[in-house]
Structure formats: C-alpha cells, structure tokens
Amino acid sequence: MRKQLAAANWKMNLTLQQAEALVDELLATPFSLNENQQAVFGVPFPYLIAIHNKFIGKNNCYVSAQNCYTQKSGAYTGETSVEMLTSIGVTHVIIGHSERREFFNESNAMLAEKINCCLSNNLKPIFCCGEPLQIRDAESQNSFVETQLKESLFHLTAEQITNFIIAYEPIWAIGTGKTASNEQAQQMHKHIRTVLANNYGLDVANTISILYGGSVKATNAGDIFAQPDVDGGLVGGASLVAADFAAIINSLKK
Ligand code: PGA
C-alpha cells in the first residue's frame, strides 16, 4: 500500500519560540502513525534545524523545507541548495506551491530543475499542482493539471517517480475555507493517477501518494482522506494548531 501522509505547510508563519511551542504541544497530544503513515512538517528555513531536533527519535515524523534552489552552490545570494538541506537532516521539500508559482514566477520548467536537484540528493519532493478558479469555472482543470505534471515530472524515469509525492491543491480552496467536495477531490486525484498510469503504467502510478490540499481541517480530513485516491493532505492553516493537526494525522487511512 502506498504511503499516507499528513504534511504541514507552516508557510511564513510563527516565530521560533511559537514554532517550538507548537511542536511541544503537538508531541504532548495523542496521535499515532503506523509504519505506512508519515507526518511531514514544512517549516520556514531558519527553524529547520531546531524543529528537526525536536523530532529526533519520533518514528515516521520528518521535516521538510518549503522551497529550494536549482543550483548546487555559488553566487546566488539568499538562496538555499538541496545539499544544504540534506546536510542538516531535512528529508523533504515542497516544490511548486501555488504561492511560489504566483508570487515568485516559478514555471513548470524551473520546477522540473528543482525536482532533478532533489532527486540527485535523495531529497523527497512534495510536488504541488492545482488550478485557479477561472480554470475550474471553465471546466479545464483536468488538462491544466495534466500540463503541470507533464512539464515538471514526465522527464523522470519510472524508477525516479515510484513512491513520489504529489499534492493536488486547487488554488480556489487554499486559505479560503472553501474545500473541494469529496467528489471533486476524488475525481481529480483519480485523473492524476490515470495520467500517471498512462505514462508510467498502473503499477508505478499506484505507488505515488497524492495528497489533497486546500482548507483541510480537523473536521473534514476524515471524509476527504477516505476517498480511494486521496492519500492524505497538505495542510496550511490547520497545521498551526496542535490539536487540529494531531486530529488530521489521526484521520489518515490505516
Ligand atoms: P490551507 O493551505 O490549508 O490553509 O488552505 C494549504 C496549502 O497552501 O498548502
């Protein structure tokens, strides 16, 4: 069975003190992860080491960056390479979040380069895709997402994409309180898996975890995660509340 993941995306929130208090509170809250389930914490760069240290010895908990750069090293003031991330124990990176695509002009081609950097350094990308509202209104979401996948991922070999993590995040549902319905989520996740299967075969497609993101809350996570092609969530706002994120972790499929 493919991995089920609850991934937190803290975005540009919290001071270090607040971040440490949040993790302490979470670790004091009952939640459980079996060997097929993982919790991943996408934290701001300055806190990666501190938060990584908090999770040492905690099974199936991982720390993720929210971005990385396309180059190994050099004169790129302010950027962070994948080698830097692996050197401090980071295991995952969120790649291509819609906020980075929108505010930092990240293109599908640039994201393909970032994915290559991650894979060559054994860093696991969490690749984000998803359509804006006008594309959904025009009922063009399937081809829109398919293009994102093709242009950023389909140069990968079957071996490289096996056990990959994709997050489908409809932009109109992010931070809006407007979640995709269970049916809308399942339909798109099934579409993504079909596109992957057409390119790589069903066996490979079935190893890929496809997370849903966009206003996942403690109250709706169970229903969304129960959909057959939904393998957990990428969670923004609700990951900043320890009790809520613990409940979301506990909503993962067994
Ligand atoms: P949200 O954010 O849960 O606050 O909607 C999700 C995301 O942007 O990853």
Side-chain angles (χ1 to χ4, degrees), residues 9 11 97 99 169 173-176 213-217 234-238:
N9 178 8
K11 307 192 180 184
H97 191 281
E99 289 151 15
E169 300 203 303
I174 295 177
T176 57
S215 299
V216 173
K217 306 269 174 254
L234 178 57
V235 186

Side-chain angles (χ1 to χ4, degrees), residues 15-38:
T15 63
L16 175 61
Q17 293 71 27
Q18 290 167 334
E20 289 185 320
L22 173 62
V23 174
D24 289 342
E25 198 185 334
L26 181 77
L27 291 173
T29 309
F31 70 87
S32 68
L33 289 161
N34 68 28
E35 77 276 4
N36 202 45
Q37 300 171 327
Q38 298 180 346

